[in-house]
Amino acid sequence: MRLFWFTILWALSILSIEAQEDKPKNWTLSGYIKDLVTVNFADDSTLIDNLIHNRLNFDWYPNEQWHFQLEVRNRLFYGDLVKAIPNYGEFVDRNNDYFDLSFYGPKNKSWLFHTMIDRAYVEWYNEKWEVRAGRQRINWGVNLVWNPNDIFNSYSFFDFDYEERPGSDALRIRKYLGFASSIEFAVTANNDFDEMVIAGMYKFNKKGYDFQVFTGKARQDLTAGVGWAGNLGDAGFKGEVSYFKPYTDKDEFSNALLASISVDYSFESSLYLHGSYLYNSDGSDTLVTAIPIFDITQRLTARNLSPLTHSILVQTSYNFHPLVTGGLATIYYPSTQAIFINPTATYSIKPNLDLDVIGQFFFDDYTGKFKAQAKLLYARLKWSF
């Protein structure tokens, strides 16, 4: 049965190409197919893995006030890591959802299939109101990398292959009050009150800056925060601040203040520069694991965007050719002298076909000697339709 559904979904992705030419005006079907090869240079071995990733995005607009969206994510993992980790499927099948709309097939030696509906909602809207119910992404973040305001759907900068980012089973209601001004309320679905996120946000514009303020409950924390986006001259200037205070007697967490700020600038030559800083008052000044950024066992939330107190990012990109773009991102952790280096290169083979080469290297002195604790190379071919 699982193989049957996988075949159907794959066939739909192929047939949708023809549908794009003569499809009804009130619905769209799009998506992509990607093949990602990962080479992990471990201390005494080299691990090679492959991921075939298919996504289907279906949108239906029956009239001017209703919108239905369904998006399905299908992934086939195979290689050395799948073979070496017995419970690999449990690591893959992690999400922020209440309803179980995903499954992973039985691991067969070195491969594993996983499918998930990560968007499924109905939306009603008019000139002043917008109501959305179902699995959706509630994006309250402002900055490009670290988002302390994103209390519903936190995401990791290191998970570059999930462009759509996680969603939640939730209800969101928004009312537009005027130019760049609105009020919003959202609540996630969960049987456990301690795991629910309930919050309201007010957005407004002042002297060319877009501001937002929010307050509510984020799982086991009472939280409040502010964010802004504007310009310093010709440069973009964004920031977010959030405060978390546990309301339970559990000793798992302490009060935490997270603040991020970023500046970015694009030159006429296509050179792009971006700098960002994250402060986490509940972070550590020492490494607790050799590679904290790759800890897939820990659930990522807005209060633990980085395990360390200070994080500094510098990022740049440049179009070397109309078809070739190169970039480099570096994250420095000053309290531990650790550094993450992330070079990227993209070649546009055709308008809907791209080839990416990506590196992720993490250096620290956790073992008493400064060296690379993680060395990964990726090659990704992506065909969009």
Side-chain angles (χ1 to χ4, degrees):
M1 181 60 69
R2 291 170 177 171
L3 181 59
F4 168 79
W5 282 113
F6 176 76
T7 304
I8 292 297
L9 291 170
W10 191 275
L12 281 173
S13 67
I14 302 299
L15 292 175
S16 66
I17 303 171
E18 299 179 2
Q20 296 299 312
E21 299 178 358
D22 191 26
K23 60 175 181 280
K25 295 182 179 180
N26 67 339
W27 68 270
T28 62
L29 180 62
S30 62
Y32 54 70
I33 298 176
K34 298 188 291 187
D35 186 15
L36 176 69
V37 178
T38 303
V39 182
N40 187 348
F41 299 96
D43 289 336
D44 55 355
S45 62
T46 300
L47 306 177
I48 300 177
D49 290 273
N50 194 278
L51 167 60
I52 297 176
H53 186 173
N54 164 241
R55 186 176 186 88
L56 296 172
N57 304 322
F58 176 75
D59 291 271
W60 178 37
Y61 301 86
N63 56 48
E64 295 182 355
Q65 291 187 309
W66 288 93
H67 171 215
F68 298 87
Q69 185 174 64
L70 177 69
E71 299 186 11
V72 184
R73 190 185 191 201
N74 307 295
R75 293 180 294 170
L76 179 64
F77 302 83
Y78 63 93
D80 294 330
L81 277 181
V82 183
K83 184 187 301 183
I85 303 177
N87 56 341
Y88 192 82
E90 297 178 8
F91 292 117
V92 170
D93 196 35
R94 289 175 176 267
N95 53 67
N96 190 37
D97 308 315
Y98 172 65
F99 298 102
D100 186 6
L101 300 180
S102 64
F103 72 85
Y104 59 91
K107 191 164 76 72
N108 184 1
K109 293 184 179 179
S110 60
W111 63 268
L112 177 84
F113 173 70
H114 179 261
T115 186
M116 176 175 66
I117 298 176
D118 69 350
R119 299 289 190 276
Y121 64 80
V122 56
E123 181 179 38
W124 175 86
Y125 50 86
N126 59 22
E127 293 181 357
K128 293 186 177 181
W129 289 91
E130 181 180 292
V131 181
R132 180 183 294 181
R135 183 160 299 177
Q136 58 186 288
R137 173 156 182 80
I138 303 176
N139 183 16
W140 284 7
V142 175
N143 273 331
L144 300 176
V145 177
W146 293 300
N147 302 117
N149 286 182
D150 198 3
I151 60 175
F152 286 90
N153 320 114
S154 300
Y155 73 95
S156 172
F157 172 76
F158 309 105
D159 187 8
F160 63 88
D161 198 46
Y162 195 6
E163 299 95 334
E164 297 78 16
R165 300 174 183 174
S168 299
D169 292 327
L171 171 67
R172 189 187 71 172
I173 302 173
R174 175 187 295 173
K175 183 180 181 181
Y176 295 96
L177 304 176
F179 172 73
S181 177
S182 66
I183 188 170
E184 181 175 340
F185 171 80
V187 55
T188 60
N190 205 297
N191 288 331
D192 186 354
F193 181 77
D194 285 347
E195 291 298 318
M196 294 179 66
V197 181
I198 309 171
M201 172 177 283
Y202 173 55
K203 293 185 177 182
F204 61 98
N205 183 275
K206 189 75 172 178
K207 295 185 178 181
Y209 274 75
D210 292 322
F211 291 96
Q212 61 184 37
V213 292
F214 75 91
T215 186
K217 185 191 88 72
R219 299 174 183 86
Q220 299 178 32
D221 289 304
L222 298 177
T223 182
V226 60
W228 70 87
N231 293 288
L232 291 175
D234 294 329
F237 178 52
K238 303 179 179 69
E240 299 178 38
V241 181
S242 296
Y243 185 73
F244 300 90
K245 178 179 177 60
Y247 63 82
T248 68
D249 295 331
K250 299 178 181 179
D251 296 329
E252 297 180 31
F253 304 109
S254 58
N255 296 352
L257 175 70
L258 280 89
S260 66
I261 191 170
S262 69
V263 177
D264 64 291
Y265 186 83
S266 295
F267 295 86
E268 293 184 0
S269 63
S270 81
L271 176 65
Y272 172 76
L273 297 176
H274 168 222
S276 188
Y277 167 72
L278 173 68
Y279 170 75
N280 180 3
S281 67
D282 195 34
S284 171
D285 289 330
T286 59
L287 289 173
V288 293
T289 60
I291 314 173
I293 59 174
F294 294 108
D295 187 2
I296 61 177
T297 63
Q298 183 181 23
R299 181 177 64 176
L300 185 69
T301 67
R303 68 144 45 234
N304 65 355
L305 296 175
S306 172
L308 299 171
T309 305
H310 304 281
S311 304
I312 302 171
L313 176 139
V314 177
Q315 186 178 30
T316 182
S317 66
Y318 183 76
N319 295 332
F320 295 94
H321 182 273
L323 303 179
V324 179
T325 301
L328 177 66
T330 301
I331 300 179
Y332 175 57
Y333 304 94
S335 59
T336 63
Q337 302 300 310
I339 188 170
F340 171 77
I341 300 176
N342 177 208
T344 61
T346 299
Y347 172 52
S348 180
I349 302 173
K350 291 183 177 181
N352 61 342
L353 183 64
D354 295 323
L355 174 64
D356 300 299
V357 179
I358 301 160
Q360 290 186 332
F361 308 97
F362 182 77
F363 298 84
D364 65 34
D365 58 355
Y366 182 76
T367 60
K369 181 179 180 181
F370 190 81
K371 67 174 185 177
Q373 302 291 350
K375 297 173 289 184
L376 297 100
L377 284 178
Y378 306 88
R380 181 177 65 181
L381 188 65
K382 179 180 180 180
W383 174 50
S384 304
F385 54 83

